[in-house]
Amino acid sequence: PAGDSRPGAPRHMADDKKDSYWSQYQSLLVRRPVAMNVTQGGIINAAGSIVAQLCTDGAVTAQPLIEQVLLTVCFIAPVVSMWIPFLGGKSLHWAKATAVDQFLFSPVFNVAIFFVMAAAFKGGNVLSAAPDAAAGLSLPLATHAHATVIWLSLWPARFPPLLAYEPIWSTMSSSYFLWLPAVAVREVFVPAHLKGPYVNCVSFLWSVAFALILKASSS
């Protein structure tokens, strides 16, 4: 009997180690939810951008990858990390929570993403050594010996017109096919501390699916 139990011992040790890793991971999600979800969001969305580019173009370009990661780490992941616990704290029925998330929060969030992208990546923000008098707003970002060395100038006039910016609305309408059932599943089955990673995984699928949708519509 003792000899029979020996081969099983390594399997139990491996299972215990896996359980330990999983427990540590979940503990980090509970103790550091924003930091964990921002880090995971950056990694998962980078992977999504790479897979989407490979599926559509057969090659990876650095600029859209960098833009996606910066947008996720600096804006999308922090906002979502705060929104999900806020929504969960309202103790809404899953159907109401899904409707609020997708028909109230999501449109506003997509418009906000549009403005962040326009400002950060489409020429709306300009870094320079001197303030730009023609810009809508110029702010000092860094100083040295009481002299400003870097200025951030905002050019709202360079933003595309919001109502005419079709990618926002096409993204919204297309996304409901995936995000509506995904959010319903999140609200019913996913534990609170795992909702952030779950959303990041759905975002990965959406990045690839939306890239394929755009390619099909342009061909």
Side-chain angles (χ1 to χ4, degrees):
D4 292 338
S5 63
R6 264 186 237 118
R11 288 198 296 271
H12 292 313
M13 292 174 62
D15 291 341
D16 291 343
K17 184 175 291 187
K18 290 178 181 178
D19 290 342
S20 176
Y21 288 151
W22 177 239
S23 298
Q24 291 177 30
Y25 171 69
Q26 293 189 85
S27 177
L28 284 173
L29 287 174
V30 173
R31 291 187 291 111
R32 300 284 188 271
V34 176
M36 286 291 290
N37 286 318
V38 167
T39 303
Q40 293 176 127
I43 294 171
I44 292 173
N45 278 275
S49 177
I50 291 172
V51 173
Q53 290 189 60
L54 290 174
C55 289
T56 55
D57 303 324
V60 177
T61 305
Q63 182 175 347
L65 174 61
I66 294 171
E67 290 181 359
Q68 181 63 47
V69 172
L70 288 176
L71 183 64
T72 299
V73 169
C74 297
F75 183 72
I76 294 177
V79 172
V80 171
S81 296
M82 292 183 288
W83 165 250
I84 292 177
F86 174 81
L87 180 63
K90 298 301 179 182
S91 301
L92 299 174
H93 185 272
W94 68 266
K96 290 183 179 179
T98 300
V100 169
D101 185 278
Q102 288 298 289
F103 299 118
L104 292 180
F105 171 74
S106 187
V108 174
F109 190 44
N110 273 274
V111 171
I113 291 173
F114 157 76
F115 279 114
V116 171
M117 289 185 65
F121 305 128
K122 307 303 180 185
N125 278 346
V126 177
L127 293 174
S128 60
D132 195 328
L137 177 67
S138 291
L139 298 171
L141 288 186
T143 59
H144 178 67
H146 306 291
T148 301
V149 294
I150 299 177
W151 286 82
L152 173 68
S153 297
L154 182 66
W155 289 79
R158 297 184 182 181
F159 294 8
L162 177 60
L163 294 178
Y165 196 62
E166 191 269 341
I168 289 183
W169 317 117
S170 63
T171 300
M172 282 292 301
S173 59
S174 300
S175 69
Y176 285 137
F177 293 103
L178 174 63
W179 280 104
L180 271 174
V183 171
V185 169
R186 184 192 76 194
E187 293 302 314
V188 176
F189 298 109
V190 181
H193 65 289
L194 294 177
K195 287 183 177 180
Y198 172 82
V199 168
N200 285 326
C201 292
V202 177
S203 296
F204 172 87
L205 295 176
W206 171 241
S207 297
V208 178
F210 188 59
L212 295 174
I213 290 171
L214 289 179
K215 182 179 181 181
S217 62
S218 62
S219 61

